[in-house]
Amino acid sequence: MGAGEQPPNEQGAEVPELEALGPGGPYRAHSRQEITDVTGAVMARMSLVPALFVNRAMKALHAATPLPADERAGALARAAELFRTATLGGLTVRQYEAAVTGVSGLPVEVVRVATRTCADRVSNAYRSVQLARPAGAVADWRDPLVRTSQAVWTRRGEVLAVHVPGNHPGTHGFWPEALALGYRVAVRPSTREPFTAHRLVLALREAGFGNDQVVLLPCGHEAADAIVRGADLAYGGDEVIRQYADDPGVLSLQPGRSKILLTADTDWRDHLDMIVDSVGRHAGSGCVNATAVLVEGDPAPLAGAIAERLAALPSLPPHDDKALLPVQNTKAARALEKFVLDRAQGTRAWLGGTGFVDELGDGSAVLRPAVHQVDSAHAAQLSAEVPFPCVWVGPWSREDGVEPLRDTLVLTVVTEDDDLVQALIDEPTISNLHVGSHATHRHRPGLPHDGYLGEFLMRSKTVVRV
């Protein structure tokens, strides 16, 4: 496991408490939920606050005054370093990573990388939001440019509700941009993996954001609705947020369905490393992992080559430093296996066609890779997204055009056809386009993930001064 660290429940101590972090400080609620690892062992008990507590917390956020802009930038940089290195909530960074590994089933090395990635995003949050600001607007009405007809970039509200899914710790790297813009933020942690949200809020508070600037509100569904209702805007990807998908004040994270397209003027053999990396990096758990690969021509040789590479990945417990595949509770893994195999009917299975669950004997199971070949670029399976290396490979033709590539978070296209590239850029449902042999998971701070969060949180306002 590295550095001799163990998950909290293997320390010989009592199971730790994950307290709510309200305006008055840490709060241990009477109602608590057990957080279990992939074997079923209890890792922590998390306080669940009632709607009354939520309502009071939301009022406190609304009443608070944002930190000055320069203080926000410094606090975010300090929080990033604390998140990456400090002991927070009684957990060292290695103990935190072991806990995340235990409950999520992600390989420990994936979690370690996610710690650094999340810290980098938080550290760069203030700079990143400035990149989202329109060129015709300034950040402060006192800027002398306002007197020369420059607009002012201003918040659409004051309080943001965050309901982030627990599929990967990296999802928490984006919402601190709201703090950079002066929002106060209420975070509801995922019951699947609450450790990252808890650690990040602790780091932000220790770095200088007050208890009335950012709160952690673990709760049930009724109180979760109260968080959304009590905020000006809401952001996230869990079932609560999806209930408000048609509300313009709610930004709902959608499935990634990231894809790769290779046209006939390229040789897929030259790009096999990139394709396999796009499918398997992060243990295949992220929205930026490729779940569909389309090739102009016969897809069979490519599907076979991908399957051969992925078949070599070992089945190991998630805390093993050499683990590369995700692990789930055996019951959940079998349910996912049935889900995929039911949808794979009528396809050609190159890998995992008779099953992909590899039980470890402790109540958990490795999700081994699956590769299936479909016979059309319009096959329904190409829209499936599951949290392990599972990819559908199919044919594409010029007659198919852009339509099969719609509703994609990241599309990597390897082609010499500039007209096709332009058509893909023009397609509004493709959020990010990588032209050339660039893995779908490639990203850096400052680039939009699914558009800039600042585009949702801010608006440009005319301010006339003389």
Side-chain angles (χ1 to χ4, degrees), residues 77-97:
R78 291 191 296 273
E81 185 63 16
L82 289 167
F83 181 84
R84 189 178 65 85
T85 63
T87 296
L88 298 167
L91 298 182
T92 67
V93 65
R94 290 298 179 227
Q95 289 171 334
Y96 150 74
E97 290 167 346

Side-chain angles (χ1 to χ4, degrees), residues 60-68 72 155 158 182 184 212-213:
L61 295 181
H62 278 286
T65 301
L67 293 177
R72 287 178 236 150
R155 291 185 292 275
E158 296 295 333
R184 280 76 75 206
D212 60 356
Q213 300 287 316

Side-chain angles (χ1 to χ4, degrees), residues 127-128 131 174 177 432 442-449 451-452:
R127 182 183 69 86
S128 293
L131 296 174
F174 296 102
E177 291 185 5
N432 303 283
R442 182 174 178 177
H443 191 268
R444 63 170 175 77
L447 290 175
H449 173 66
Y452 284 115

Side-chain angles (χ1 to χ4, degrees), residues 21 71 207 217 277 284:
L21 301 172
E71 293 185 25
L217 302 175
D277 187 39

Side-chain angles (χ1 to χ4, degrees), residues 128-185:
S128 293
V129 297
Q130 303 311 314
L131 296 174
R133 176 162 47 88
V138 296
D140 192 318
W141 70 272
R142 301 171 188 84
D143 192 309
L145 290 174
V146 174
R147 298 182 187 275
T148 63
S149 302
Q150 286 279 82
V152 176
W153 207 41
T154 186
R155 291 185 292 275
R156 292 179 59 207
E158 296 295 333
V159 176
L160 176 70
V162 173
H163 294 243
V164 177
N167 62 303
H168 192 281
T171 58
H172 288 278
F174 296 102
W175 63 258
E177 291 185 5
L179 290 170
L181 292 166
Y183 275 84
R184 280 76 75 206
V185 179

Side-chain angles (χ1 to χ4, degrees), residues 1 11 55 210 222 270 293 302:
M1 286 180 47
Q11 300 288 319
N55 291 335
E222 180 182 351
D270 297 332
V293 178
L302 174 56

